[in-house]
Amino acid sequence: MDDAELQAWIERISLEFFGIPFRHRARFNPRLRSTGGRYFLKSHDIEISPHQLEAHGADEVEKIIKHELCHYHLHIQKRGYQHRDAEFKTLLEQVGGSRFCSHLPTTMKPKRRVEPYRYELRCGRCGMSYKRKRRMDPRKYACGKCRGRLELFLLEVT
């Protein structure tokens, strides 16, 4: 499915469930990983995660589209469009949208690179140790335990 098909799909859902046309842009955004979609307040555009379609199918994405259209229509009508607003919750329930999107399988999530600790700050008075990933100036800080002077040491990274 491409952006043009998504645009037509959202326009159809908007007319069918809300009775109001969707007059802005809709597109897929492959960078969306922790959310199913998002609505932009300034441009009124909607972005949908293609990973949700791939992982959970069209039914789940339709619920996400309804969720984003609730934000869209309520915001344009200057009504309560935020998640906490009663109007939003009521409209979402009426159209059958999802409150939360299903989580992606771990195979679709990006791998996080874990940085090793490279530095250690050690208190000269009490011996308290603070490990850090980035270099910092020990003269600007004091020990949190005894307010003693800190010394910077480079750790061996394996």
Side-chain angles (χ1 to χ4, degrees):
M1 181 179 280
D2 63 352
D3 287 350
E5 291 172 311
L6 177 67
Q7 180 78 33
W9 191 14
I10 290 179
E11 288 172 1
R12 183 185 57 74
I13 290 172
S14 182
L15 282 172
E16 187 179 325
F17 289 93
F18 297 87
I20 306 168
F22 175 72
R23 299 184 190 277
H24 293 84
R25 257 184 84 210
R27 61 188 168 271
F28 282 113
N29 184 347
R31 292 185 311 270
L32 295 179
R33 300 236 181 224
S34 62
T35 184
R38 65 180 169 187
Y39 164 66
F40 293 93
L41 295 173
K42 289 184 180 171
S43 66
H44 305 295
D45 292 347
I46 291 177
E47 288 185 344
I48 302 294
S49 171
H51 306 295
Q52 290 290 332
L53 183 62
E54 190 180 312
H56 302 292
D59 290 338
E60 192 64 35
V61 173
E62 187 167 313
K63 291 177 184 176
I64 294 168
I65 290 170
K66 289 175 184 177
H67 177 106
E68 300 310 325
L69 283 171
C70 285
H71 287 301
Y72 172 80
H73 290 300
L74 289 170
H75 181 248
I76 286 180
Q77 295 169 12
K78 294 181 175 34
R79 293 167 55 200
Y81 63 90
Q82 295 178 335
H83 291 125
R84 65 176 178 238
D85 294 325
E87 287 178 299
F88 177 81
K89 291 176 186 176
T90 305
L91 182 60
L92 189 64
E93 197 172 308
Q94 285 172 359
V95 297
S98 63
R99 187 93 163 93
F100 306 102
C101 69
S102 301
H103 291 287
L104 292 174
T106 52
T107 55
M108 297 184 118
K109 291 183 181 173
K111 301 282 187 262
R112 277 208 168 150
R113 199 175 86 218
V114 178
E115 292 280 329
Y117 291 115
R118 295 180 180 205
Y119 302 97
E120 181 181 16
L121 292 164
R122 213 174 298 144
C123 177
R125 191 185 298 168
C126 71
M128 183 73 181
S129 171
Y130 304 93
K131 293 189 190 263
R132 295 289 178 262
K133 294 178 182 184
R134 295 185 181 187
R135 185 182 180 100
M136 53 189 292
D137 187 0
R139 293 174 294 179
K140 293 182 179 179
Y141 301 93
C143 176
K145 188 175 176 184
C146 72
R147 310 300 300 158
R149 191 175 226 151
L150 297 173
E151 296 175 56
L152 183 67
F153 295 94
L154 183 62
L155 296 174
E156 302 249 349
V157 180
T158 54

